Amino acid sequence: MAGSDRPRRDPGDFEPSALFLSEPFTDLNEGAGFLDTLGDSERAALRARGTPVRLDRGEGLFFQGDPHTGVWLIETGRVRTFYVGHTGREMTLAYWTVGHFVGGPEVFGGGRHVWSADAPEPCDVLFLPGAALRALAEQHPAIAIAIINGLVAKGKCYSALVQMLGTRSIAERLRVLLLVLADTYGRPSPEGTAIDRRITHEQFAMMVGATRQWVSISLDRMQKDGLIAVSRQQIVLRNPEALATGTFGG
């Protein structure tokens, strides 16, 4: 339940990782623990100002052009952030998981959102109003530092994403995304590295900036070349080294 206190995470506990285009060796989940340094009093003060919100699958959280009013702390499930171009085409920026916040960068309110967010699955978030967050930051230095740390993690994420979009071809982005998925969710299997996390061709396309048809053709080519094996349940990377060096067609 979003309104209940979530126990502080043990560093050894597994949490599903955030997902965005980046080098596979980047810590994708770095921003998930930005509140872990807070003491009980700061944590209680923060939660007392928040409002629990339950999102159904497909429900929007905020949209491009909406006024910034605060941030949403993810407590269960995932939130997708995305940008809609002038043609109506969507570009998925990231999937955020438990412990991350969405709604920045103007965390204290003001200005308008330049991208949107929705729930790809049911999730619980805690809405923290910008004015209340500013007051807490002024009263509690630990909260101010936590907010800064959270924004630093977001800055790294979007810097990595911009570098990918600006310097990599679409084929390279697809390769990197497969490696990121394997690095984040993969497990050893007799055929290679298996990714049990299911992601549709449409979701691949919206993350790499391609069409669904192009993704389908590219994955089929990789499969014929023996680089991957695709099924309904998983993708197996049979030759991660070839994907890492880009020695494939496309």
Side-chain angles (χ1 to χ4, degrees), residues 21-166:
L21 271 179
S22 178
E23 294 295 341
F25 308 108
T26 300
D27 185 0
L28 302 183
N29 224 34
E30 180 181 354
F34 79 106
L35 293 183
D36 288 353
T37 58
L38 297 184
D40 292 338
S41 60
E42 291 94 354
R43 192 177 296 271
L46 194 69
R47 298 198 64 84
R49 300 292 186 94
T51 301
V53 179
R54 174 69 175 179
L55 296 173
D56 294 325
R57 180 178 180 180
E59 187 173 354
L61 190 57
F62 56 84
F63 299 95
Q64 286 171 231
D66 286 352
H68 276 279
T69 57
V71 301
W72 290 261
L73 178 64
I74 303 171
E75 304 210 299
T76 69
R78 295 182 299 153
V79 171
R80 178 181 73 115
T81 51
F82 62 97
Y83 176 78
V84 181
H86 68 280
T87 62
R89 183 173 176 180
E90 289 185 11
M91 177 80 179
T92 295
L93 304 176
Y95 289 92
W96 300 107
T97 48
V98 173
H100 291 276
F101 72 83
V102 294
E106 297 188 63
V107 296
F108 298 145
R112 295 186 179 275
H113 288 284
V114 293
W115 55 71
S116 305
D118 64 10
E121 61 193 51
C123 64
D124 295 295
V125 296
L126 184 71
F127 175 64
L128 298 166
L133 205 56
R134 176 186 287 276
L136 287 171
E138 292 172 346
Q139 297 166 14
H140 302 276
I143 291 179
I145 293 173
I147 293 170
I148 292 171
N149 287 336
L151 289 172
V152 167
K154 294 290 190 209
K156 289 180 178 179
C157 156
Y158 288 112
S159 175
L161 178 60
V162 168
Q163 290 175 39
M164 280 288 164
L165 295 177

